[in-house]
Amino acid sequence: MASAGGAAPFWRAAGMTYITYTNICANLVRNCLKEPFKAEAMSREKVHFSLSKWVDGKPEKPTIRSEGSEH
Amino acid sequence: MAMAALRREGRRFATPLLSSPVRSSVISHSQEELPNGVRSISTQIVRNRMKSVKNIQKITKAMKMVAASKLRAVQTRTENSRGLWQPFTALLGDAPSVDVKKSVIVTISSDKGLCGGINSTSVKISRILHKLSSGPEKETKYVILGEKAKAQLIRDSKQDISLSITELQKNPLNYTQVSVLADDILKNVEFDALKIVFNNVPKLLLQWTFAPTCYAIMERESEAGGKLGELDSYEIEGAETKGEVLQNLAEFQFSCILFNGVLENACSEQGARMSAMDSSSRNAGDMLDRLTLTYNRTRQASITTELIEIISGASALEG
């Protein structure tokens, strides 16, 4: 973290938001758990929703973000 | 209905004294579709209705139990999640009425119905907010979570919808999911201020008679104009500037508030469904009582009719 004062941290320069960054870190931490706890923690990671962007009052085809784990 | 039947029978009673008395009580409780002149008072219709109303009552009672158990599960998580955003509000302040060019209203609603009026209130509040923050050079867009709000907002605000998200509750709600969602919203939608509308849970959740509810609006201003205030009294490690820290915090705050909003909405949805199913079971019970009374009256009327015929037939025989 000893970058020049004012420079963005590496992840923001790469286009990630803070939320994405923390999610990846959390994912890594969850992967470090031992077995019985790991399964519980993995269940907290499931992502599923269906997103559709609207352009000019018309919905586009929805994309389903369904991931076992973030990224 | 029973009185009319009795009157009908009374009129017919006048004639069969002279006609053949043998055609007596084969009638009993059944069939519609009989030719004119044949006496019958049917209890079949009433019985069918009673059966279907009873089934509906069983279903609504079961739905109420299911909603109650789901409510218990979500409630503890909701209360715990309140601790996520309260420090933020204490630190960074909340700005409920900030005047910005581009504002985005995030409306949280449920995917399934039969939950009372909560989705309508959310949509109503969103529309009011939209009107409040519209004006020349100002733009307001909707981001819709949930099917029900989408259905209502499509009708008149099609042009203003920018994103719609459904199937959120397929897996149990967790922070990861909501944060991915928040991330998507942040990346796809331009805004200066975000307003989140959801149904809040009142404190009296312990009683069975849940009365839905109020709503809550939380607003989040973009980091550029955020209040720095008390952040000065904290020491910041690392070489990040305060601006960067604020930006991170602002994104995290949005994600936390959205998480709490989604949970609270789920809680109110289950509670509202519980109370809606409860009142519908009670209505079904009332309807069942009334139908039972009608059924009994009809049955007694038909018995009376039979008796009258027998007696009249017998007396006709004796001459």
Side-chain angles (χ1 to χ4, degrees), chain B residues 287-311:
Chain B
M287 204 188 269
L288 208 54
D289 286 340
R290 267 181 288 134
L291 281 176
T292 311
L293 286 178
T294 316
Y295 175 70
N296 283 334
R297 259 183 278 139
T298 319
R299 193 175 48 87
Q300 289 165 359
S302 75
I303 293 177
T304 312
T305 315
E306 282 190 44
L307 284 175
I308 289 177
E309 290 181 359
I310 294 175
I311 296 177

Side-chain angles (χ1 to χ4, degrees), chain B residues 195-242:
Chain B
K195 304 184 203 216
I196 308 178
V197 177
F198 57 90
N199 281 94
N200 212 347
V201 169
K203 309 266 174 146
L204 324 161
L205 201 42
L206 309 167
Q207 313 165 1
W208 280 112
T209 58
F210 181 99
T213 85
C214 41
Y215 52 87
I217 304 173
M218 286 180 193
E219 187 164 308
R220 178 201 154 260
E221 210 182 8
S222 116
E223 57 274 9
K227 299 202 185 105
L228 299 184
E230 304 190 8
L231 204 54
D232 284 336
S233 51
Y234 291 92
E235 229 181 77
I236 304 179
E237 245 186 71
E240 294 182 346
T241 60
K242 206 192 296 189

Side-chain angles (χ1 to χ4, degrees), chain A residues 19-69:
Chain A
I19 300 177
T20 327
Y21 174 58
T22 46
N23 271 337
I24 296 181
C25 297
N27 194 17
L28 292 172
V29 171
R30 280 190 208 114
N31 273 325
C32 300
L33 287 174
K34 277 208 287 193
E35 224 351 277
F37 304 105
K38 186 165 183 176
E40 281 179 32
M42 282 308 166
S43 76
R44 282 202 293 267
E45 266 197 348
K46 293 216 178 68
V47 171
H48 176 96
F49 57 88
S50 141
L51 179 82
S52 85
K53 287 205 217 179
W54 286 59
V55 178
D56 277 345
K58 286 207 176 22
E60 303 190 340
K61 201 157 180 339
T63 60
I64 305 200
R65 294 280 304 260
S66 173
E67 303 158 7
S69 63

Side-chain angles (χ1 to χ4, degrees), chain B residues 66-96:
Chain B
V66 167
S69 72
K70 286 194 180 162
L71 178 67
R72 248 174 283 135
V74 188
Q75 200 176 337
T76 35
R77 305 186 63 202
T78 308
E79 285 168 10
N80 292 339
S81 83
R82 286 191 192 138
L84 269 180
W85 59 263
Q86 274 156 358
F88 274 113
T89 318
L91 178 66
L92 297 175
D94 197 25

Side-chain angles (χ1 to χ4, degrees), chain B residues 255-272:
Chain B
S255 171
C256 292
I257 293 185
L258 197 63
F259 181 54
N260 183 56
V262 172
L263 277 180
E264 299 249 5
N265 202 55
C267 216
S268 347
E269 175 197 340
Q270 299 301 340

Side-chain angles (χ1 to χ4, degrees), chain B residues 7-71:
Chain B
R7 253 178 275 128
R8 241 182 297 133
E9 293 317 303
R11 256 178 278 129
R12 293 206 198 121
F13 171 65
T15 47
L17 275 182
L18 312 169
S19 62
S20 84
V22 191
R23 181 185 43 131
S24 64
S25 42
V26 189
I27 305 120
S28 246
H29 323 268
S30 54
Q31 321 106 8
E32 296 82 19
E33 304 306 321
L34 292 176
N36 274 341
V38 181
R39 288 169 236 112
S40 88
I41 303 178
S42 166
T43 55
Q44 184 75 8
I45 309 175
V46 183
R47 252 187 304 156
N48 284 342
R49 285 198 78 185
M50 277 172 61
K51 201 163 56 161
S52 67
V53 170
K54 208 184 292 187
N55 286 338
I56 292 181
Q57 191 183 30
K58 283 192 200 152
I59 293 176
T60 51
K61 271 199 187 140
M63 284 186 76
K64 176 183 161 189
M65 293 291 128
V66 167
S69 72
K70 286 194 180 162
L71 178 67

Side-chain angles (χ1 to χ4, degrees), chain A residues 51-60, chain B residues 103-107 130 139-145 150 153 157-165 184-191 194:
Chain A
L51 179 82
S52 85
K53 287 205 217 179
W54 286 59
V55 178
D56 277 345
K58 286 207 176 22
E60 303 190 340
Chain B
S103 53
V104 168
I105 302 179
V106 182
T107 309
H130 183 96
E139 202 187 300
T140 321
K141 292 249 167 223
Y142 289 110
V143 170
I144 306 179
L145 268 76
K150 185 170 88 165
L153 281 174
S157 311
K158 260 174 107 157
Q159 301 296 329
D160 288 328
I161 303 180
S162 101
L163 273 181
S164 80
I165 295 129
D184 276 346
I185 296 180
L186 282 175
K187 285 202 179 122
N188 283 324
V189 181
E190 289 179 24
F191 59 88
L194 273 170

